[in-house]
Amino acid sequence: MKSGTSPSPLPSPSPTRKVMLVAEPTRESAGALQFAISHVVLENDELILLAHVENPHSWRKTFSFLHRRSNLPSPTSSSSSSSNLKIEEGGDDNFLDAMINVCEIAHPKLCIRLEWIDNMDTKGKEKEKAKAILDKSHKLGADIIIIGQRRSISNALLGCKGPSSGLKTFDTAEYLIEKSKCTCVAVQKKGQNAGYILNSKTHQNFWLLA
């Protein structure tokens, strides 16, 4: 495993980038968010939270230590899939509230944009969801895609590439790394202060210290 002393898998900072984070109510997505706000986004960037939620209440345990604010629009609250976000006091617990709250604390001037994967039944259809994420990144003109990655022991040992492998396991992150036109970084958070394992098209198992 490589350490963080070699060249980073992230592109060099440039003005006004569109950084797209796949936002899901999982610990992997929480780790990807922490990586994004601490190592990727700058205040002149636009952070796009791309959400597809099957069980938003499951996020409460993941971010239970955060103070959540506001009531964000649901995918069906508007004919448009994007919303201009303004955080206000009060409102229901929501994992997107928690994500935005964390971003605001770290980068108060950061432009945050909420996008939804078009309404579709992707339950149990990981490849269809991955294709929808990829299509959305193209439409939005994303410069960087960041996604949390959960790797099984078999994937780690065998180096499974998900869609290009003959194994049944489908890895959404690996699919996006392989197919995306822009840089895609898959993030695995290693403990509270142990750093991150990053995977991209040009770097495999890149260990970035916290």
Side-chain angles (χ1 to χ4, degrees), residues 27-201:
R27 292 186 179 277
E28 289 75 25
S29 192
L33 175 68
Q34 290 177 316
F35 166 74
I37 62 178
S38 60
H39 294 283
V40 181
V41 295
L42 304 173
E43 289 192 342
N44 61 334
D45 289 335
E46 180 181 37
L47 177 62
I48 302 171
L49 301 179
L50 182 63
H52 172 70
V53 185
E54 294 175 0
N55 181 19
H57 299 294
S58 67
W59 188 266
R60 295 181 182 181
K61 291 183 180 179
T62 304
F63 268 154
S64 60
F65 59 91
L66 293 177
H67 172 62
R68 299 166 175 82
R69 300 182 294 169
S70 91
N71 185 18
L72 297 181
S74 68
T76 57
S77 64
S78 170
S79 58
S80 173
S81 62
S82 63
S83 303
N84 293 324
L85 302 181
K86 182 178 180 181
I87 304 303
E88 298 176 354
E89 293 298 329
D92 299 330
D93 284 354
N94 187 298
F95 86 93
L96 290 171
D97 293 340
M99 296 187 91
I100 293 170
N101 190 41
V102 169
C103 293
E104 283 197 324
I105 292 172
H107 298 284
K109 297 181 181 180
L110 181 67
C111 177
I112 303 172
R113 177 178 175 185
L114 175 61
E115 290 278 346
W116 296 91
I117 294 178
D118 295 336
N119 291 335
M120 60 183 294
D121 180 15
T122 58
K123 188 174 183 180
K125 302 175 183 178
E126 289 301 314
K127 191 168 185 177
E128 294 303 312
K129 186 172 79 171
K131 288 181 178 179
I133 294 171
L134 186 66
D135 182 62
K136 199 71 172 181
S137 72
H138 291 165
K139 289 180 179 178
L140 297 174
D143 297 297
I144 306 172
I145 301 172
I146 299 175
I147 182 171
Q149 184 177 34
R150 177 187 298 173
R151 305 201 75 181
S152 65
I153 295 177
S154 60
N155 280 357
L157 293 177
L158 299 176
C160 174
K161 295 293 184 181
S164 61
S165 167
L167 301 180
K168 291 183 179 180
T169 300
F170 182 88
D171 192 321
T172 300
E174 292 289 355
Y175 180 91
L176 295 175
I177 290 172
E178 181 180 338
K179 301 292 186 180
S180 64
K181 296 178 180 178
C182 65
T183 298
C184 177
V185 181
V187 180
Q188 302 168 59
K189 189 153 189 333
K190 310 303 289 184
Q192 187 64 28
N193 299 305
Y196 306 88
I197 301 298
L198 308 179
N199 285 284
S200 69
K201 191 170 291 185

